[in-house]
Structures are given as structure tokens and as C-alpha cells.
Amino acid sequence: MKRWFSKGKLRYPFYILTHPADGYYELRHRERGSVPVAIIITALFSFCFSMNRIHASFIVNDVDPRSVDSMNELGGVMLLFLLFCIGNWSVTCLMGGEGRFKDIVTSVGYALLPLVLTLIPATIISGFVAADEEAFYYLILVFGVAWTAILILMGIMIIHNYSLAKTLVTLILTFFSMLIIIFITMMLFDLLSQVYGFFRNVYIELQNRG
């Protein structure tokens, strides 16, 4: 537990916020990251996202709070997170990337920290803004999204030792690979469903004849 949740491991995501180049390099080459901490940050992002949808003022939020299911959203966020990491790992394995799967998980998880840090104040501020002041709310969210996007870009680039152009190509291919993984998974579920239905019908038929 200590090697995953030591004081240094818990502080490291905050170091990456302000020193992304050095931070991601040391994460890859000096084992400074922690996969459990990255997963916790991802879960925190999901929690803050759900709280924003539930508690943000009606001026900036047109979602019915009663329709928000935090557990479903947590499952969706974790699934998308895992899908992105598997997709990126699949693509970078074929394109000479140096990053390991755990480096991808850690770098993407740490990159979500700005969203956690901006969703909380944005949700609070939304309760104090008037109808013509919602720009302040959206400015905070855009800042968090841009910060996260930059961190993901730098993280993928540094852990795989890519150029900027190759990183952008890799990210585009990652999204295509995510679609392919979803398609194959749906095909497998459909196939398994058909096989299950076939054997179930055979079993019922044998029971009726017996």
C-alpha cells in the first residue's frame, strides 16, 4: 500500500500540473506514478461531474437533477477511461511507442486532475452568477478542459517519446481503435447471445422429448 499511496505518490499529480514535461518524463523513467492514485483521480472526476450536473444552478444547467445517476456515470467514465487506455496502448504498440500500459493509465488519470479542481469551484460559483454572468462559469470549465487536453497531449507524447505530429496522429488513431473495440465487443456479445440461445433451445427441446 505504501508504495502506491506514499506522500510523494499522492503529491506527484499536483507536481505534474505545473511541471508536465519533467513530471511525465520521471513518471515513465523513474517510476514516480501510481496507477491506484490515477484511478482514484478518475473516480473523483466522475463524482465532481455528477455533482456539477446535480447542484449547478439552473442558469447554467438544464439537466433534471433527479435524472442523474452517479453510479451509472461512474461506470461510464471508468469504461471510457479504460477504453481510451486500451485503444492508445493498442495503437502505440504498433507505432513504436515506449510507454507501457500502466504509464498510459497513470498519465491519463493524472491529466484529469484539472477537471476535478475546476468543476468544484465552477459548481459553487454557478450558485452566485446572474443570468448575464454565466460566462465566468463557462470560462472556468473551458480552462479546466484545455488544461486537461494539454496534459493528455504532453503525457502521451513524453511517455511514448513521440514528436508532436506523431502524437496527434496517434490520438486520432486511438479514437478509431476505440470504435473498433466497441464494434468487436458488441459483435462478441451478439455472438455469445446467439450461442446461448441455441444451446438453451436444444436443452428445452431435449427436455420436452424426454
Side-chain angles (χ1 to χ4, degrees):
M1 290 291 284
K2 189 176 179 181
R3 68 188 178 99
W4 292 329
F5 297 106
S6 65
K7 196 177 290 184
K9 298 281 187 184
L10 292 173
R11 286 179 179 171
Y12 202 66
F14 295 93
Y15 176 76
I16 283 184
L17 291 183
T18 51
H19 303 80
D22 291 340
Y24 280 123
Y25 179 85
E26 293 188 10
L27 182 150
R28 170 65 185 89
H29 296 282
R30 295 177 185 167
E31 302 289 344
R32 298 291 301 274
S34 166
V35 171
V37 172
I39 292 172
I40 289 172
I41 292 173
T42 307
L44 277 176
F45 158 67
S46 175
F47 175 75
C48 293
F49 178 69
S50 296
M51 289 302 103
N52 176 266
R53 281 159 53 80
I54 293 171
H55 295 293
S57 167
F58 68 93
I59 295 173
V60 296
N61 183 19
D62 57 357
V63 176
D64 182 355
R66 293 170 297 182
S67 68
V68 178
D69 187 328
S70 301
M71 292 308 294
N72 276 346
E73 292 188 343
L74 175 63
V77 167
M78 297 307 287
L79 188 64
L80 194 62
F81 172 75
L82 185 63
L83 198 58
F84 179 86
C85 294
I86 293 174
N88 186 260
W89 177 73
S90 305
V91 170
T92 53
C93 278
L94 300 174
M95 296 181 67
E98 296 179 3
R100 299 159 296 184
F101 183 70
K102 73 171 190 177
D103 298 327
I104 299 170
V105 170
T106 310
S107 61
V108 176
Y110 284 9
L112 295 175
L113 186 56
L115 285 176
V116 175
L117 298 177
T118 51
L119 275 170
I120 296 170
T123 304
I124 296 171
I125 286 172
S126 71
F128 299 96
V129 296
D132 57 346
E133 297 171 345
E134 65 266 30
F136 291 107
Y137 169 82
Y138 291 114
L139 187 63
I140 295 172
L141 292 185
V142 168
F143 178 70
V145 170
W147 198 355
T148 287
I150 291 170
L151 287 180
I152 290 177
L153 183 69
M154 291 190 69
I156 297 298
M157 184 169 69
I158 292 169
I159 64 170
H160 291 301
N161 197 20
Y162 282 165
S163 64
L164 178 60
K166 193 170 182 179
T167 304
L168 292 172
V169 171
T170 302
L171 288 174
I172 293 170
L173 292 176
T174 296
F175 286 112
F176 281 112
S177 69
M178 290 168 68
L179 294 176
I180 292 170
I181 292 169
I182 291 171
F183 177 73
I184 292 173
T185 304
M186 290 175 67
M187 290 279 288
L188 278 175
F189 272 115
D190 184 57
L191 181 64
L192 288 173
S193 174
Q194 290 185 29
V195 170
Y196 171 76
F198 171 75
F199 282 108
R200 185 171 179 275
N201 289 335
V202 170
Y203 175 74
I204 292 172
E205 184 75 17
L206 289 173
Q207 269 199 330
N208 290 336
R209 289 191 177 185

